[in-house]
Amino acid sequence: MNRKKKINDTLKKKQKKMNAKNQKSNKPRYISKAERAALEAEKAVANLSQVEPADAEEGATKD
């Protein structure tokens, strides 16, 4: 009986590990501090480029 139990326990452990590996995580992907800084810089550049053409057009209409 002990031998059967031990075999079943090891098989259950293996199955449990395989199931754990196959599960998808709901955690968001980690973004490093450097990547976050680069994203912020890109957003700042994008915002500046969007603002400049709008200001140029307004200036042209006032003249």
Side-chain angles (χ1 to χ4, degrees):
M1 191 65 168
N2 284 337
R3 186 173 22 160
K4 274 187 180 181
K5 184 178 178 188
K6 189 171 185 177
I7 291 169
N8 283 334
D9 283 345
T10 55
L11 291 174
K12 283 180 188 177
K13 282 182 187 178
K14 274 189 176 182
Q15 189 64 40
K16 203 172 188 181
K17 283 184 183 179
M18 292 306 292
N19 285 340
K21 274 188 177 181
N22 291 334
Q23 294 295 321
K24 292 202 174 191
S25 177
N26 289 333
K27 259 174 62 171
R29 188 179 73 85
Y30 176 74
I31 301 172
S32 70
K33 196 180 227 183
E35 288 177 8
R36 280 181 273 164
L39 288 173
E40 288 295 323
E42 286 178 14
K43 284 182 184 177
V45 169
N47 286 337
L48 288 177
S49 64
Q50 288 177 356
V51 171
E52 289 174 6
D55 290 339
E57 289 174 10
E58 288 176 12
T61 56
K62 289 181 183 177
D63 287 335

